[in-house]
Amino acid sequence: PQLRVLRSARGLGAFAAEQRQRQGLTQSELAERVGVSREWVSRFERGSGSPSLRAVMDVLSELDLELSVERVHGGDELDEAP
């Protein structure tokens, strides 16, 4: 499995969008499968709004992605890692 370090909601949403597109799904198709609106998926992929963790986990699960959360040492930076 591929490991990607993300340190922001925007980074997580962009990565999910990339995986959705690779799987040939539209935002509407993903939204229907997960039980959220297309607008919700759009906001999540842009890193805006405050999505519930449950909904985020449902989206990631539908895309066959796993999320691991680790504490970042050395500050509170939330920028995406290179």
Side-chain angles (χ1 to χ4, degrees):
Q2 181 183 15
L3 176 64
R4 179 120 13 132
V5 176
L6 304 166
R7 295 188 178 144
S8 70
R10 180 175 292 150
L12 179 60
F15 181 65
E18 178 184 308
Q19 297 306 308
R20 173 185 58 75
Q21 292 167 355
R22 283 186 181 178
Q23 294 179 28
L25 292 171
T26 65
Q27 287 181 339
S28 295
E29 290 167 333
L30 178 59
E32 185 176 325
R33 289 182 181 190
V34 176
V36 297
S37 69
R38 187 207 57 79
E39 291 79 12
W40 185 96
V41 172
S42 176
R43 286 191 305 272
F44 168 64
E45 290 182 351
R46 290 190 324 265
S48 64
S50 299
S52 74
L53 183 56
R54 168 68 8 218
V56 170
M57 296 303 292
D58 289 347
V59 166
L60 297 179
S61 177
E62 185 63 38
L63 295 173
D64 294 322
L65 300 172
E66 293 181 11
L67 177 66
S68 175
V69 179
E70 296 182 15
R71 184 175 178 177
V72 177
H73 298 284
D76 293 328
E77 292 183 24
L78 294 176
D79 296 326
E80 183 173 341

